[in-house]
Amino acid sequence: NPEDLIIGADTIIYHKKRIMGKPKNYDDALEFLNSLSGKTHYVYTALQIINENNKINKSIFDKTVVTFNTLNFKDINYYINNYKPFDKAGSYGIQEWSSIFVKKIDGCYYNVVGFPLAKFYLFFKDIQKWQKTK
């Protein structure tokens, strides 16, 4: 429907010059989490916003810096087997049990969850201003 506002979002992890998307299986998840253990990584979420009638076609993104505690195999294994993070970039969902993996965060928490809410809100306010001036 050309009147609708369409919003798409996706998240990736960037660590050691490597992009980590969603793990394919247990082994991928284990490898991702072991790699992030005790280290700092970057979480990027991109949003695409489209509205045909108002000629809106805009991309925005946000970056959050996340540092993990040193993880042990028992905790990683428990998390993968019980929370099945195969639909999560980097193999973790900060809003789940794996929040205990996080030592510190610099930036938007909701960006790590997968939707940079504050940045989207500011963009949405700009759209509303723009539409009122038409």
Side-chain angles (χ1 to χ4, degrees):
N1 186 342
E3 295 177 15
D4 288 341
L5 185 66
I6 300 166
I7 304 165
D10 205 6
T11 302
I12 61 164
I13 305 295
Y14 184 75
H15 177 62
K16 292 186 177 180
K17 298 182 181 180
R18 176 180 173 203
I19 294 172
M20 295 179 175
K22 297 168 179 70
K24 295 179 191 113
N25 53 38
Y26 175 91
D27 290 336
D28 267 2
L30 181 63
E31 191 272 319
F32 285 178
L33 292 171
N34 274 324
S35 177
L36 298 173
S37 175
K39 305 283 188 316
T40 297
H41 61 277
Y42 304 92
V43 179
Y44 291 91
T45 300
L47 298 175
Q48 183 73 25
I49 300 129
I50 299 170
N51 177 272
E52 194 174 315
N53 279 358
N54 292 308
K55 296 180 178 37
I56 297 168
N57 189 344
K58 173 100 171 143
S59 297
I60 58 175
F61 77 94
D62 206 357
K63 175 179 92 171
T64 304
V65 182
V66 179
T67 302
F68 268 19
N69 294 306
T70 300
L71 310 178
N72 63 52
F73 175 77
K74 183 179 175 185
D75 288 340
I76 293 172
N77 186 57
Y78 176 84
Y79 177 67
I80 295 169
N81 285 322
N82 289 281
Y83 290 86
K84 314 248 185 273
F86 307 115
D87 62 339
K88 309 274 188 264
S91 304
Y92 76 96
I94 195 168
Q95 71 278 15
E96 301 174 335
W97 187 84
S98 63
S99 63
I100 65 169
F101 296 168
V102 178
K103 182 176 186 176
K104 69 178 181 174
I105 179 174
D106 182 17
C108 177
Y109 167 83
Y110 293 102
N111 183 56
V112 182
V113 172
F115 194 87
L117 192 57
K119 198 162 214 177
F120 173 76
Y121 176 72
L122 293 174
F123 171 75
F124 194 72
K125 280 177 49 175
D126 282 346
I127 289 174
Q128 289 176 320
K129 286 179 197 173
W130 176 76
Q131 286 179 329
K132 287 178 184 176
T133 61
K134 282 176 78 178

